């Protein structure tokens, strides 16, 4: 249920929850521009039979379509899990201003873990990164999802 | 003009040429399965107003759709330029078997340059990599494109 007091990260977590109910790995993403939400997406790899259908990719494409622009320069991205290498690359290409992510992904993350893409010379646009908001809620969702499949 | 003697890389270079004529950075990609071409795509960032619309991303999504599978395990990808960080991530997610790329991309590549993603611990599927086929043709296309814009 949506609530007008929901923050962008709450909405991303809600999208992750809905994904989980549909059998998807629970990851949700939201993009804002000047405080307004312009895109909400969730992981849809299973639904779309597409291994690249991560929440961030979908949200970025949705926002570009909405703004009719290939640059999201004043946009902020909220995502419930640390972006992977593919998504970190997409975030940089899209020129996202600020990235908020909830839970770290030690195995496949590419921001604070893995290739730490935004710190590399081959990264030509670096968003500001804020980690940890909503971490506990996101982690619970992910743990529940994976433990129910074991 | 297509020719039955064309190799997959020739067809990728042709797609790059067509992209160039449409004002796009000339990069083309082809995916094969058992020697048969199942996807051909080119850079369409400008046309789609989408900074993630790289040739590899489009070809991978096209192949998944065609095979109705999120795994391209027996597929090979031919691309005229070394994949960037985003595309290297997508190639790994898609479980591409073999990656052929023509020209290296010193500035933004992520295979032999940059984050060298396939050599990292956070990369969970590594394609076999064959570099250099068609390099000269691809380089000429890219140089012509960028020198005409200066």
């Amino acid at each position: 249920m949506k609530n007008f007091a929901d923050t962008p990260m709450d909405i991303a977590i809600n999208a992750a929850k809905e994904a989980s109910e549909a059998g998807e790995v629970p990851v949700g993403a939201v993009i804002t521009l000047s405080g307004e939400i312009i895109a909400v997406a969730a992981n849809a790899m299973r639904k779309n039979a597409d291994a690249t259908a991560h929440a961030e990719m979908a949200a970025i494409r949705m926002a570009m379509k909405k703004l009719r622009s290939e640059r999201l320069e004043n946009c902020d991205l909220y995502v419930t899990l640390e972006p992977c290498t593919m998504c970190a690359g997409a975030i940089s290409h899209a020129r996202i201003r600020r990235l908020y992510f909830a839970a770290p992904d030690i195995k496949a993350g590419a921001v604070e873990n893995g290739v730490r893409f935004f710190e590399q010379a081959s990264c030509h646009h670096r968003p500001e990164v804020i980690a940890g908001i909503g971490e506990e809620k996101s982690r619970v969702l992910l743990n529940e999802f994976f433990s129910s499949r074991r």
Side-chain angles (χ1 to χ4, degrees), chain A residues 29-103:
Chain A
V30 162
I31 293 178
T32 62
L33 173 60
S34 312
E36 206 183 303
I37 289 171
I38 60 167
V40 181
N43 221 339
M45 297 191 291
R46 202 172 146 167
K47 182 177 147 206
N48 296 358
D50 178 351
T52 71
H54 287 195
E56 302 95 309
M57 295 299 294
I60 286 171
R61 253 183 254 129
M62 205 179 286
M64 285 173 169
K65 209 165 180 179
K66 197 155 200 171
L67 302 180
R68 290 195 185 89
S69 166
E70 57 170 308
R71 295 193 175 183
L72 303 178
E73 277 166 330
N74 293 308
C75 295
D76 299 335
L77 171 66
Y78 296 77
V79 58
T80 60
L81 184 65
E82 180 181 352
C84 73
T85 303
M86 172 184 73
C87 292
I91 287 164
S92 179
H93 286 316
R95 300 178 185 241
I96 292 284
R97 180 178 65 171
R98 208 168 284 141
L99 164 67
Y100 297 83
F101 72 82

